[in-house]
Amino acid sequence: MSESIIPQPYLLFLGDAPDALAAKVALGIKQWRPHLCVGQLSLPGCQADCGLPEMSLAEAWAAGARTLVIGVANRGGIIAPGWIALLKEALELGMDLAAGLHNRLSDVPELKETADRLGRALFDVRHPTRTFAVANGRKRAGKRLLPVGTDCSCGKMYTALALEKAMQERGMKATFRATGQTGILISGAGVSVDCVVSDFVSGAVEWLSPENDADHWDLIEGQGSLFHPSFAGVTTGLIHGAQPDALVLCHEPTRSHMRGLPEYAVPDLETCMAANLLTARLTNPAACFVGISVNTAKLAEAEALALLAEIEAKFGLPTVDPVRQGVDRIIDAL
Amino acid sequence: MSESIIPQPYLLFLGDAPDALAAKVALGIKQWRPHLCVGQLSLPGCQADCGLPEMSLAEAWAAGARTLVIGVANRGGIIAPGWIALLKEALELGMDLAAGLHNRLSDVPELKETADRLGRALFDVRHPTRTFAVANGRKRAGKRLLPVGTDCSCGKMYTALALEKAMQERGMKATFRATGQTGILISGAGVSVDCVVSDFVSGAVEWLSPENDADHWDLIEGQGSLFHPSFAGVTTGLIHGAQPDALVLCHEPTRSHMRGLPEYAVPDLETCMAANLLTARLTNPAACFVGISVNTAKLAEAEALALLAEIEAKFGLPTVDPVRQGVDRIIDAL
């Protein structure tokens, strides 16, 4: 596992999340790093629940919490004025703060002043705090797997995290490499590549996934889609920097159009795989698909299994829903 | 022509450029916008010459110069300490300053303080001064042409500027849209897309090339290459935001490998055209190649003409060296 730059363990702040989706960052951390979470803190009216003990700041501090993680996104992704007194109190108790919101913790004068005065850290993980070199395209030792998608938000991070967990359970050397804010808050490290200056995206990914043991796998979090007109440039830079040996295609079969763009159709799987191979093979001529990960949450069990079987028969690749079935069959085929 | 944000006309500062290449920004401005240049200012030892009258700052101000443009890049692309007194004097005389260097004029305390005090502007054109929306992928009225390259630095800006000039001479509505610092200093406006945060590259290009008359052509400056492992993400975002109706392939035939990366071969023209069409057709299904622009500067005339004829016969597209022959045959075929 890569070393966390965010002090652990965490108290997860759920705010007044109107539903579970609004608290998906907290839920993700609890799901993938339960041992790092000592408790949760909700405000009145909160409709999300991570199933952790509800704690005050003082109780969490006593229980060992070292960072209060803002695990909720309100409308606009901003730091709500009503949170500030509580966040300040956490700093005063001794905790650092971490958030993946658009607005920076460090742009809130009260928080910045308090953190500076007390020597606490504010982790605005969406915003890179370092610069990167331009990619050099040189081969690094170690193996790399990258999930790529027919669209945004179709299961790429989940697939990478599920692969990391299952590989580690088998005793394989495997590290999740976060490329977005939720992944960074889950794993405690990473680079939010869509916030990197465009010239340095591939270089940032080369930095994120450095040379490693020959039998070590980096599971690099994918971003966007080569077929999303808003974000395909980010995806391209990520693929080139990742130099993936193995690709996993991620797909959400009920989506009628690309996320946010009703006039753009979701590509068919063949077309999507061909484009991703063409792109990946520029920096790794041996890149190939090793599996297909389908998010069948919106389908009934029978329908889901039939679809997975159909896709598997068509492409001859292990095809799974990581939530329903896990990702073992993809690892078996590596 | 798009409206300049940089006050005109210019005095071109050549510094102590050791050769013409170091002053390519100044030479580009003189070549493409001679009517905007009142003179040049060289330091002792300068080996570059734009063929403009040599002027002191005071003479240039009297001749009407309103901006001193740093037209020279020294090693490292920084503002040399030895220039600062002169730059400050230009501000004091009444001129603004413009540069496309890595280091910002506004990061030099003496220049910032002087400019602020006197109400002068410092144009650091490499660094975007505004934010952009995420691309929406929607079709805009007007026509767009984008040069794309087998590699970086193979004639994309030159081709776009040559097309703008030739189209305007025919009375066509045509606007060069700069996407890099030299192009911005030449045209007085634009966005240096490789310095935009990756999520917003396509959105920046949509902003740069807005809706226009149905018979108006934007000549959008290309950047990088889909086959350059360091920069292909920038190129992809630029292509998607540009939504080009027409592509021109730019090629430098004597290059043995991708710029700066000896282990990466230059793609063949077919492969490069296929990849660019695939990418461009995501946001403009009607995108097609309308010509090929070959930089034959390193070939003898007979060899160059034979190569151009060979490429033209193979692809059935007007194939020109814009320096030797101009770009009229590409415009004829539009």
Side-chain angles (χ1 to χ4, degrees):
Chain A
M1 206 174 306
S2 60
E3 205 166 320
S4 176
I5 55 165
I6 305 174
Q8 298 164 340
Y10 305 144
L11 173 64
L12 303 182
F13 177 59
L14 305 183
D16 54 354
D19 52 29
L21 188 64
K24 71 174 185 173
V25 170
L27 290 160
I29 299 173
K30 165 57 172 35
Q31 172 169 16
W32 296 107
R33 299 292 186 265
H35 57 289
L36 299 180
C37 305
V38 302
Q40 66 187 37
L41 194 165
S42 312
L43 297 179
C46 180
Q47 300 296 314
D49 184 2
C50 292
L52 290 163
E54 190 73 34
M55 289 184 180
S56 69
L57 290 172
E59 288 165 346
W61 175 253
R66 288 300 167 261
T67 301
L68 178 69
V69 178
I70 297 183
V72 56
N74 56 8
R75 204 191 297 261
I78 63 161
I79 297 150
W83 299 349
I84 293 175
L86 183 125
L87 299 179
K88 201 175 152 190
E89 193 188 332
L91 291 169
E92 282 164 352
L93 272 169
M95 287 186 243
D96 292 330
L97 301 181
L101 302 171
H102 277 291
N103 282 24
R104 297 173 206 235
L105 293 163
S106 61
D107 282 344
V108 179
E110 270 185 273
L111 299 179
K112 178 80 168 75
E113 185 276 320
T114 305
D116 285 351
R117 178 166 49 82
L118 301 172
R120 309 276 182 266
L122 303 176
F123 296 98
D124 286 301
V125 303
R126 191 186 283 259
H127 303 280
T129 52
R130 51 161 292 146
T131 57
F132 302 97
V134 163
N136 61 41
R138 281 198 288 272
K139 180 87 185 143
R140 289 102 76 196
K143 295 279 188 186
R144 287 165 189 85
L145 182 147
L146 178 71
V148 294
T150 48
D151 193 4
C152 302
S153 309
C154 63
K156 293 183 293 291
M157 183 185 79
Y158 192 102
T159 299
L161 284 161
L163 284 162
E164 183 200 40
K165 184 164 187 277
M167 291 168 102
Q168 289 179 348
E169 283 168 0
R170 292 185 185 203
M172 295 170 72
K173 298 179 194 167
T175 308
F176 171 74
R177 301 293 187 184
T179 62
Q181 62 270 15
T182 303
I184 297 172
L185 289 171
I186 290 173
S187 66
V191 181
S192 196
V193 293
D194 59 6
C195 295
V196 170
V197 166
S198 63
D199 233 6
F200 305 104
V201 168
S202 298
V205 179
E206 290 185 351
W207 173 86
L208 178 68
S209 175
E211 194 147 57
N212 215 317
D213 297 343
D215 60 345
H216 176 280
W217 281 92
D218 268 347
L219 293 317
I220 301 174
E221 183 187 358
Q223 291 293 338
S225 164
L226 289 183
F227 290 83
H228 198 294
S230 310
F231 308 120
V234 181
T235 308
T236 300
L238 170 53
I239 293 172
H240 286 159
Q243 300 180 3
D245 304 283
L247 296 162
V248 173
L249 182 67
C250 298
H251 182 55
E252 205 287 69
T254 70
R255 209 162 285 180
S256 59
H257 59 76
M258 297 301 281
R259 192 173 161 85
L261 302 178
E263 59 271 50
Y264 283 92
V266 176
D268 62 59
L269 304 191
E270 298 91 315
T271 305
C272 187
M273 289 168 82
N276 278 282
L277 278 179
L278 192 70
T279 302
R281 285 180 176 166
L282 181 69
T283 57
N284 187 344
C288 61
F289 276 92
V290 298
I292 301 176
S293 173
V294 185
N295 176 351
T296 63
K298 292 188 182 160
L299 302 180
E301 178 88 1
E303 201 183 358
L305 296 179
L307 178 66
L308 293 168
E310 183 194 319
I311 294 173
E312 177 148 347
K314 181 164 181 182
F315 294 98
L317 288 169
T319 301
V320 301
D321 181 328
V323 176
R324 288 186 199 268
Q325 308 158 308
V327 290
D328 280 309
R329 294 185 50 243
I330 293 177
I331 301 174
D332 293 341
L334 271 181
Chain B
M1 207 174 304
S2 60
E3 204 166 321
S4 176
I5 55 166
I6 305 174
Q8 298 164 341
Y10 306 144
L11 173 65
L12 303 182
F13 177 60
L14 305 182
D16 54 354
D19 53 28
L21 189 63
K24 70 174 184 171
V25 169
L27 289 159
I29 299 172
K30 166 57 173 36
Q31 174 169 15
W32 296 107
R33 299 290 185 268
H35 57 289
L36 299 180
C37 306
V38 302
Q40 65 186 37
L41 194 166
S42 312
L43 297 180
C46 180
Q47 300 297 314
D49 184 1
C50 292
L52 290 163
E54 190 74 34
M55 289 185 181
S56 69
L57 290 173
E59 287 165 346
W61 175 252
R66 289 300 167 261
T67 301
L68 178 70
V69 177
I70 298 183
V72 56
N74 55 10
R75 205 190 298 260
I78 63 162
I79 297 151
W83 299 351
I84 293 176
L86 182 124
L87 299 180
K88 202 174 149 189
E89 193 187 332
L91 290 169
E92 282 163 352
L93 272 169
M95 286 185 244
D96 293 329
L97 302 179
L101 302 169
H102 277 291
N103 281 24
R104 297 173 207 233
L105 294 163
S106 61
D107 282 344
V108 178
E110 269 185 274
L111 298 180
K112 177 81 168 76
E113 183 277 318
T114 306
D116 285 351
R117 179 166 49 80
L118 301 173
R120 307 279 180 264
L122 304 175
F123 296 98
D124 286 301
V125 303
R126 190 186 284 261
H127 304 279
T129 52
R130 51 160 293 149
T131 58
F132 302 97
V134 162
N136 61 41
R138 280 197 288 274
K139 181 88 185 144
R140 288 103 75 197
K143 295 279 188 187
R144 288 165 189 83
L145 182 148
L146 178 71
V148 294
T150 50
D151 193 3
C152 302
S153 310
C154 63
K156 294 183 291 292
M157 184 185 78
Y158 192 101
T159 300
L161 284 161
L163 283 162
E164 183 201 40
K165 184 163 187 279
M167 290 168 102
Q168 289 179 348
E169 283 169 0
R170 293 185 185 203
M172 296 170 71
K173 299 178 194 168
T175 310
F176 172 73
R177 301 293 187 183
T179 63
Q181 62 271 12
T182 303
I184 297 172
L185 289 172
I186 290 172
S187 66
V191 181
S192 195
V193 293
D194 58 6
C195 295
V196 171
V197 166
S198 63
D199 233 6
F200 305 103
V201 167
S202 299
V205 180
E206 290 185 351
W207 172 86
L208 178 67
S209 174
E211 193 147 58
N212 215 318
D213 297 343
D215 60 345
H216 177 279
W217 281 92
D218 268 348
L219 293 317
I220 301 174
E221 183 186 357
Q223 291 293 335
S225 163
L226 288 182
F227 290 84
H228 198 293
S230 310
F231 307 119
V234 182
T235 308
T236 301
L238 170 54
I239 293 173
H240 286 158
Q243 300 181 4
D245 303 283
L247 296 162
V248 172
L249 183 66
C250 297
H251 182 56
E252 205 288 66
T254 70
R255 209 164 284 181
S256 58
H257 59 75
M258 297 299 282
R259 192 173 162 86
L261 302 178
E263 61 270 50
Y264 283 91
V266 176
D268 61 60
L269 304 192
E270 298 89 315
T271 305
C272 187
M273 290 169 82
N276 278 283
L277 278 178
L278 193 69
T279 301
R281 287 182 174 163
L282 181 69
T283 57
N284 188 346
C288 61
F289 275 92
V290 298
I292 300 176
S293 172
V294 185
N295 175 351
T296 63
K298 293 186 181 161
L299 302 181
E301 177 89 359
E303 201 182 357
L305 296 180
L307 178 67
L308 293 168
E310 183 193 322
I311 295 173
E312 175 147 347
K314 181 163 181 184
F315 294 98
L317 288 168
T319 301
V320 301
D321 181 328
V323 176
R324 287 186 199 269
Q325 307 159 307
V327 290
D328 280 309
R329 293 186 49 243
I330 294 178
I331 301 173
D332 292 341
L334 271 181

